[in-house]
Amino acid sequence: VYPGRYNPVMSEPVRRQYQIYIERPVESVFAFVSDLCHVARLSAPESPEAVSSGVEGALSSGSVVTYTTRRTGSAESLTVQVEQWNPPTGYVERQLRGPFSEWVHRRRMVPFQSGTLLTDQVEYVAGGPFALPFRAAKGEVLTVRVAGCDRGRVLNRSGWWLAPSSP
C-alpha cells in the first residue's frame, strides 16, 4: 500500500488505525461511542455518516446497523453487525452488506494517564459492487481534535499527520 494513495491491488487487505486521547474515564468514552445518536459527531466532516436503519440508542452484542455516508456526491451504505461486545473496553463490527469484499472495524478503549486512549482500526478489502466510487475517495482526510491544541490536526487515511491548512 502506498501512503496517501489508493491501493491498486483490490484483493489486498488494507488496515487503517487512528488513536486519540480523551480526558474522560473509559466507561464514559465507551458509553459515548457506542450510542448511535453520536455517529454524526464521530465521523469525519469530509464524509459525514448517519444511521439509516437498525437499532436505536446504544449498540449491543449482535446489533445490526446500516450506516450511510456521502462521498464523491453519492450516498453509500454499509450494513454491519456487532460480533464482539466487551464493555467498557471495546467492540468489533463486521460488514454484512456494503461496498467492500470484507470490512471489519475494531474499537478499543484503554485507561491511559488520567483518561482514555481510543483506538479505531478498520481492515478492508476493496471490491464488491461499489469498488469504483471508492477509488475516487483517495486523499480523504480525517480531522482530529487534540486536547490542549487550539487547531485541529489532520490525519490522512494512511495514518500520516499533515499540517493544518489554515490557522
Side-chain angles (χ1 to χ4, degrees):
V1 177
Y2 302 98
R5 298 190 185 168
Y6 172 75
N7 177 9
V9 182
M10 293 183 66
S11 61
E12 183 178 326
V14 177
R15 177 181 293 160
R16 304 286 186 241
Q17 182 168 305
Y18 313 98
Q19 292 183 313
I20 186 168
Y21 171 75
I22 303 168
E23 293 181 9
R24 297 279 186 263
V26 171
E27 295 80 10
S28 297
V29 174
F30 185 87
F32 183 86
V33 300
S34 62
D35 189 335
L36 293 174
C37 73
H38 299 298
V39 166
R41 294 177 67 187
L42 294 169
S43 64
E46 296 80 15
S47 57
E49 292 181 5
V51 175
S52 57
S53 68
V55 299
E56 292 183 15
L59 290 172
S60 61
S61 181
S63 293
V64 175
V65 179
T66 299
Y67 299 102
T68 302
T69 186
R70 285 208 168 273
R71 300 174 199 236
T72 67
S74 63
E76 296 160 356
S77 294
L78 176 74
T79 300
V80 302
Q81 182 171 24
V82 176
E83 67 175 24
Q84 293 178 22
W85 185 251
N86 304 304
T89 59
Y91 57 90
V92 177
E93 298 173 302
R94 183 175 299 276
Q95 173 186 283
L96 297 176
R97 286 180 303 282
F100 302 100
S101 294
E102 296 176 35
W103 183 92
V104 177
H105 172 228
R106 293 174 182 87
R107 181 165 271 169
R108 291 180 305 224
M109 285 134 282
V110 294
F112 182 75
Q113 296 177 354
S114 61
T116 300
L117 185 62
L118 171 65
T119 302
D120 270 330
Q121 182 185 77
V122 177
E123 268 184 61
Y124 63 92
V125 176
F130 303 106
L132 291 177
F134 275 84
R135 288 186 180 196
K138 71 179 185 180
E140 288 179 279
V141 293
L142 172 66
T143 302
V144 178
R145 302 287 175 207
V146 179
C149 294
D150 57 351
R151 294 176 15 183
R153 295 183 70 188
V154 178
L155 179 70
N156 75 12
R157 296 281 180 190
S158 297
W160 296 88
W161 284 107
L162 306 173
S165 58
S166 61

